[in-house]
Amino acid sequence: MHVEPVAPVFHRCVAAGRRLADTWAGSPRAVDVLTALGCLGLMALDLPGLAAADNSLSGAAAAAALALGCATLLVRRRLPWLSYLTALLFIGWLHELTLIQFALYSVGRFRGRLAGILATLGYLAFALVMFWVPGWPEPAGQRLSGFLGIVVPIGALASAVGIAAYRHDLVRELAARRAESAVFQAVQQERTSVARDVHDFVGRELTLLTVRSEVLSVRARETAHAKDFEELADTARRAHLVLNEIIVQRGERASTPGVDGLAALAQESGRAGSPVRLSMDEGVHGLSPLRQAAVYRVVQECLTNAAKHAHGETIDVSIAVDGPRLRIAVSNALPARTPGRAPVSAGSGTASMSERVRSLGGTLTATRTDAAYEVVATLPRG
């Protein structure tokens, strides 16, 4: 019978435990559990005082009551008012002010500014009434000073922190939505650009086909093939009309350059401080106009990214035809020091570049190491 060594089993268990810990530690449920345990730990410090101040509870009964109160924090995201009402009960029954801090924070964090303010005002009014009720442990002379020195700061601070966290969450969510919208818009613009390129290149070929068919139909007017050439010309005209209806031109724009424009693009990058080493196979010039436009857009976006994040570094651009595939590789070294101010970037250029490549049946990968950044795009040659 084969017995697996203990060491590998132990290492696998440790690795599985770490993965589980990493997954669980970042979850909202873990934060809620830790919050409840932290609140319980703080209130446990008051157990001797609670038992002395409230004769209706023994130490064990007080611990159970506090544990049940802290358990309401486990649902503070969905039911923050439950923790709030429980905390008010603790104030009036056990003279305990710890849970209300967590409850006010939770109301402000997960229900917003208005709810946080209303909860704080309700807490202050309730606490003020309780401080003047006979039977509280503080002497009558200390009730007002205790209220002003302890109760008011506790409520205001906890609620303010919760509201600030709520606003921070809103700002972060808004930033995420803006970034997502920018990527979506960039993808849509790239799709429109591809569609316009299709219209330009395919429309030009259809026009030539129409003209050539009409010329042949005139030459073959007295032959049996005249009708065939006329039908071919009509078909080309209808195809061109359908293409115009599907792809609607919006505004004027310059046509996308092909690979002949890469030299000027490299010179422009060099003048801006990022020299370019351009290597291109001769067979690239024989690519279709759509492929050439895709090559130009990919190189253009890569040079822009390199100028933003690795200004001054040499950029290597390689465009090679490998059998039925076209390979575009753009790489540059990364600066040893991170720039003090982050470059302005919408983060949508890579998405539009990837959309352009994917629309032509290709793939695009971006790889970053400690020393270099490389973008590789592959496209079908035909």
Side-chain angles (χ1 to χ4, degrees):
M1 180 179 178
H2 175 70
V3 178
E4 192 171 358
V6 177
V9 175
F10 174 76
H11 291 312
R12 282 201 295 268
C13 292
V14 171
R18 287 178 178 174
R19 289 194 298 268
L20 180 62
D22 292 340
T23 302
W24 186 80
S27 66
R29 174 60 62 186
V31 175
D32 293 341
V33 171
L34 293 177
T35 300
L37 292 176
C39 181
L40 180 60
L42 291 175
M43 289 196 296
L45 300 176
D46 294 337
L47 281 178
L50 293 177
D54 193 328
N55 296 326
S56 64
L57 288 179
S58 63
L66 296 182
L68 289 176
C70 292
T72 60
L73 293 174
L74 298 176
V75 293
R76 65 193 184 113
R77 299 175 188 271
R78 293 184 293 107
L79 301 172
W81 294 107
L82 178 61
S83 301
Y84 177 76
L85 294 177
T86 304
L88 294 183
L89 174 64
F90 277 18
I91 292 175
W93 177 32
L94 301 175
H95 320 130
E96 172 57 57
L97 297 176
T98 303
L99 181 59
I100 192 63
Q101 303 173 55
F102 291 86
L104 286 174
Y105 171 84
S106 300
V107 172
R109 173 72 183 273
F110 302 113
R111 289 298 180 268
R113 181 175 61 182
L114 179 59
I117 293 175
L118 293 177
T120 303
L121 294 177
Y123 152 71
L124 294 178
F126 182 81
L128 180 60
V129 171
M130 289 295 100
F131 261 61
W132 288 99
V133 169
W136 264 65
E138 292 83 0
Q142 297 181 3
R143 290 171 183 167
L144 183 59
S145 62
F147 178 80
L148 295 177
I150 298 177
V151 176
V152 174
I154 284 177
L157 181 60
S159 181
V161 173
I163 293 172
Y166 176 78
R167 291 175 61 85
H168 176 73
D169 290 343
L170 289 181
V171 171
R172 184 171 56 185
E173 182 180 358
L174 179 61
R177 289 186 178 181
R178 285 179 176 175
E180 182 180 355
S181 177
V183 171
F184 177 78
Q185 184 178 4
V187 170
Q188 294 299 320
Q189 290 177 350
E190 194 62 29
R191 288 178 178 176
T192 302
S193 178
V194 173
R196 288 171 176 171
D197 289 339
V198 170
H199 179 276
D200 292 345
F201 301 136
V202 178
R204 181 180 60 189
E205 298 300 326
L206 288 175
T207 300
L208 294 176
L209 178 61
T210 302
V211 173
R212 184 60 176 167
S213 300
E214 290 175 348
V215 171
L216 292 176
S217 66
V218 171
R219 292 180 178 178
R221 184 172 299 172
E222 303 299 331
T223 67
H225 300 290
K227 185 177 179 180
D228 296 333
F229 286 118
E230 292 177 358
E231 292 179 353
L232 180 60
D234 291 338
T235 300
R237 280 192 293 269
R238 287 195 302 270
H240 201 177
L241 180 61
V242 171
L243 183 64
N244 287 332
E245 291 177 351
I246 294 176
I247 305 174
V248 180
Q249 295 282 357
R250 296 183 179 180
E252 297 295 330
R253 64 167 183 88
S255 60
T256 304
V259 295
D260 292 334
L262 293 179
L265 198 63
Q267 292 176 1
E268 181 182 353
S269 177
R271 287 193 298 268
S274 297
V276 177
R277 288 196 293 255
L278 178 61
S279 173
M280 183 167 54
D281 290 350
E282 289 297 329
V284 176
H285 294 278
L287 296 173
S288 66
L290 278 179
R291 262 65 178 178
Q292 292 195 29
V295 171
Y296 184 89
R297 291 300 187 195
V298 169
V299 174
Q300 182 184 43
E301 183 59 35
C302 289
L303 295 183
T304 301
N305 288 339
K308 290 179 181 178
H309 303 284
H311 183 71
E313 300 292 340
T314 301
I315 307 169
D316 291 307
V317 179
S318 173
I319 307 169
V321 177
D322 183 13
R325 308 294 293 179
L326 170 68
R327 186 178 185 273
I328 310 164
V330 183
S331 62
N332 59 268
L334 294 176
R337 294 184 178 180
T338 304
R341 180 175 297 179
V344 178
S345 177
S348 56
T350 302
S352 62
M353 181 171 54
S354 178
E355 178 64 25
R356 164 78 67 161
V357 173
R358 188 165 51 249
S359 67
L360 297 178
T363 59
L364 184 141
T365 57
T367 305
R368 182 187 182 96
T369 64
D370 294 337
Y373 185 80
E374 183 180 30
V375 174
V376 177
T378 59
L379 290 169
R381 181 179 179 180

